[in-house]
Amino acid sequence: MSHPRAVGNGPAGSILTVDGLRKTYRQGFLGRRGAPAVADVSLEVRRGEIFALLGHNGAGKTTTLKAILGLVRPDRGRITIDGVDAARPESRESVGYLPEAPYFHENLAARELLDFYGKLLGLSREQRRERTAECLAQVGMAHEARRKLRDCSKGMRQRIGLAQALLNRPRLLILDEPQSGLDPLGRRQVRDLLLAEKRRGATIVFSSHIVPDVEAIADRVAMLRHGRLAEIKDLSSRPPSRCFRIVAAPPRTAEQPSSRWLEDPRWTVTETTSDRWILDVVGAGNLGALLAELDQASAAVHDVRARGGDLETEFLAGLERDHAQEVPSC
Amino acid sequence: MLSRTLAIALATFHETVRDRLFYLVGFFGVALVGASMVLSPLTVGAQSKIVADVGLGSMALLGLLVVLLVGSNLVRKEMDRHTITTVLTKPVGRTDYLIGKYLGLALTLTVMIALMGLIYFGAVSMTTMKPGLAHLGAIYLTLLELLILTSAAVAFSFLVGNALSAVLTAALFVIGHLLRSLRDFAAMTEGLSQDVIMVAYRILPDLEVFNVRSEVVHGDAVGAGLIGMATFYGIGWVIVFLVVARALFDRKEL
């Protein structure tokens, strides 16, 4: 089926549309096609939202992003950015992109690199000078502008990568696993930066396999499993929830948690044995209350671990379902 | 559009400068003076011819070395290092990118050959020979030949790896200079071998078109007609190889 080339505005309210995307990579010397990396993925990203692609490793997130950016040629399907066919370079006039592992020319200093990208974006000399300084400041690299890329740490490169993605004040910001490999502070800075970009009016599309990262900022999430779009969930109306799992050793004198514990709706007792209690609780306030109760009961808390909320449960359940279908019965 | 291509070309040129490629010019100067000093006493009365021959020959060989080292790596290196992805996710088409990279290396070769040419003119001036337009023509034709080989190296690099691309380009250089001899040889043979040689003769660039060293060394003129014809021939082959390279580049997943 041939698709007409669209130029102009996309569907009302959407900045990015992916329609029936399919991509299979060629493998081996003869270039045989293997299993599709992405199959029949269709989605629309609304202006001004933060849209996440969530999936396990190999789910097709990066391939989808690369197809959007024209880096891989889809076997089938049509992608438009602001109504312009994504295969055309003009579609990327107002797009910023951060790859999963940004690679840059090692010999260049940060500001030289940004100046080069500014030229590719068609910015004037004055605009390049101004935006380079602004973007480096935005990612906390203003004092490292003259540092050569080869002398930068992974975190610094990630920041420079973000700076180049922001250079043209993009209407659509696409990020591939922006928080992977960053320390907690770095993750928080990236999150804050993305939220600031959203406030500016940018639309953000990012991929991740880390559910809490998605839950923290995404308005909607597309769950990809084995190259297929499982579902799209709206998280914007969902109250922020954070699930914690607590592992505690019961006091020597205690036998089982009292019925008061079991009946308290603020948490769930998942396991109670003579030497271990496992309790799940949603929300930081409830966590505090539970820790106070455990302290009062003289139970030794061994572990408190943040977990995803409903989204993680759904995501994992979907993966387990797929896995169960794949494993042949004995 | 053009400004983006030029930005890529200039970045490529600066990269080769940073890679200290121009050290080869210094090497050329030392080699030329050294060879003249060693060989001239052995060829009494022909010092100027030796200097001209060695100068033009080593200019072509050092240029070829740059083409093999840099040309076959020009785009492949960027693909292997993934530096190409951030460039192509800007509003830059693959054609702009390819042409920009090619022009960048072409600029490097032009500056390099120009600098070597200055050294060459200086060295020849110190002999009994007076360098003139024929010498300039020979240097220009050497550059044209290198530009064809660069475009071929880029095209080969999309088909095979960097190393094999360099080997194929070197093979093209050798075969390209032997084509006329092969054609003459084919005229003396019959059957399949004649057909194969004639096909090769027709589909490969005849690089002897750009070789006027013998005329220069013997003080013969290099006509404007020859220069003009070689220019069209060279540009034609550059376009052919770049079109092939662009078609192969299009198939590459990044």
Side-chain angles (χ1 to χ4, degrees), chain A residues 225-226 317-329:
Chain A
R225 287 201 292 267
H226 303 292
L319 280 181
E320 280 162 14
R321 264 200 311 277
D322 287 355
H323 184 65
Q325 283 168 4
E326 279 173 14
V327 176
S329 56

Side-chain angles (χ1 to χ4, degrees), chain A residues 95-98 114 121 123 131-132 134-139 159-175 193-194 196-198 200 202 204, chain B residues 90:
Chain A
V95 173
Y97 170 61
L98 173 70
L114 264 58
L121 288 162
L123 303 181
R131 286 300 294 154
T132 295
E134 283 174 6
C135 291
L136 285 175
Q138 206 172 347
V139 298
R159 285 159 191 256
I160 293 166
L162 262 172
Q164 64 81 28
L166 299 172
L167 208 52
N168 55 338
R169 291 194 180 93
R171 286 199 296 271
L172 176 61
L173 189 54
I174 297 175
L175 309 102
L193 197 143
L194 295 186
E197 282 300 300
K198 185 191 174 187
R200 182 179 64 79
I204 295 157
Chain B
K90 303 284 181 276

Side-chain angles (χ1 to χ4, degrees), chain A residues 23 25 66 69-73 89-90 92-93 95 97 99 103-105 107-108 112 116-117 119-122 148 164, chain B residues 3-4 7-8 10-11 15 18-19 78 81-94 101 250 252-254:
Chain A
K23 177 66 195 171
Y25 289 106
K66 284 186 169 181
L69 292 157
L71 294 174
V72 298
R73 184 187 290 268
E90 312 85 278
R92 300 187 289 276
E93 295 273 1
V95 173
Y97 170 61
Y103 295 95
F104 302 118
H105 296 97
N107 286 329
L108 296 180
E112 290 172 323
F116 170 60
Y117 287 135
K119 285 180 189 168
L120 299 184
L121 288 162
K148 298 272 186 201
Q164 64 81 28
Chain B
S3 63
R4 287 167 182 146
I8 293 169
L10 284 176
E15 203 182 323
R18 284 193 185 95
D19 284 345
E78 302 263 332
R81 290 183 183 172
H82 303 288
T83 47
I84 194 171
T85 49
T86 32
V87 173
L88 288 183
T89 51
K90 303 284 181 276
V92 175
R94 292 191 184 203
K101 294 296 287 184
D250 209 34
K252 292 286 170 193
E253 314 275 17
L254 302 170

Side-chain angles (χ1 to χ4, degrees), chain B residues 163-245:
Chain B
L164 255 182
S165 167
V167 170
L168 286 177
T169 308
L172 181 69
F173 174 78
V174 174
I175 295 170
H177 280 287
L178 290 178
L179 274 182
R180 289 181 187 181
S181 307
L182 287 172
R183 181 197 55 192
D184 296 342
F185 173 72
M188 295 186 288
T189 60
E190 287 179 354
L192 186 65
S193 59
Q194 185 185 39
D195 295 340
V196 170
I197 291 170
M198 288 314 290
V199 167
Y201 179 73
R202 291 201 175 97
I203 64 167
L204 294 174
D206 176 7
L207 298 180
E208 274 300 300
V209 168
F210 308 99
N211 184 7
V212 290
R213 278 197 292 279
S214 146
E215 288 87 332
V216 170
V217 167
H218 293 103
D220 298 337
V222 177
L226 172 69
I227 299 279
M229 188 274 290
T231 301
F232 281 113
Y233 186 71
I235 290 173
W237 272 107
V238 167
I239 291 171
V240 167
F241 280 123
L242 286 182
V243 166
V244 172

Side-chain angles (χ1 to χ4, degrees), chain A residues 50-240:
Chain A
I50 299 184
F51 188 91
L53 291 175
L54 176 65
H56 55 89
N57 292 332
K61 306 182 295 288
T62 299
T63 298
T64 303
L65 294 184
K66 284 186 169 181
I68 290 169
L69 292 157
L71 294 174
V72 298
R73 184 187 290 268
D75 305 333
R76 268 210 313 262
R78 180 165 181 254
I79 302 170
T80 59
I81 299 172
D82 251 345
V84 181
D85 192 325
R88 300 173 66 186
E90 312 85 278
S91 69
R92 300 187 289 276
E93 295 273 1
S94 196
V95 173
Y97 170 61
L98 173 70
E100 183 178 359
Y103 295 95
F104 302 118
H105 296 97
E106 300 284 299
N107 286 329
L108 296 180
R111 63 180 187 140
E112 290 172 323
L113 185 84
L114 264 58
D115 187 67
F116 170 60
Y117 287 135
K119 285 180 189 168
L120 299 184
L121 288 162
L123 303 181
S124 67
R125 183 189 295 259
E126 187 58 32
Q127 285 172 322
R128 293 201 305 271
R129 201 176 54 78
E130 187 185 306
R131 286 300 294 154
T132 295
E134 283 174 6
C135 291
L136 285 175
Q138 206 172 347
V139 298
M141 289 285 291
H143 299 298
E144 307 287 353
R146 288 169 193 273
R147 187 190 278 257
K148 298 272 186 201
L149 268 295
R150 63 169 172 259
D151 300 327
C152 287
S153 67
K154 187 183 175 189
M156 284 173 160
R157 283 163 193 255
Q158 190 82 354
R159 285 159 191 256
I160 293 166
L162 262 172
Q164 64 81 28
L166 299 172
L167 208 52
N168 55 338
R169 291 194 180 93
R171 286 199 296 271
L172 176 61
L173 189 54
I174 297 175
L175 309 102
D176 193 1
E177 304 273 1
Q179 289 163 300
S180 79
L182 293 180
D183 60 27
L185 180 63
R187 294 159 81 95
R188 187 185 180 134
Q189 285 172 336
V190 168
R191 191 189 69 191
D192 292 346
L193 197 143
L194 295 186
L195 290 172
E197 282 300 300
K198 185 191 174 187
R199 283 194 296 276
R200 182 179 64 79
T203 306
I204 295 157
V205 175
F206 76 101
S207 71
S208 180
H209 61 272
I210 305 166
V211 180
D213 286 350
V214 171
E215 270 191 315
I217 55 170
D219 296 311
R220 288 195 303 146
V221 55
M223 289 202 253
L224 288 172
R225 287 201 292 267
H226 303 292
R228 292 183 182 275
L229 180 62
E231 62 178 315
I232 296 179
K233 294 190 81 68
D234 193 339
L235 304 180
S236 57
S237 55
R238 179 186 290 202

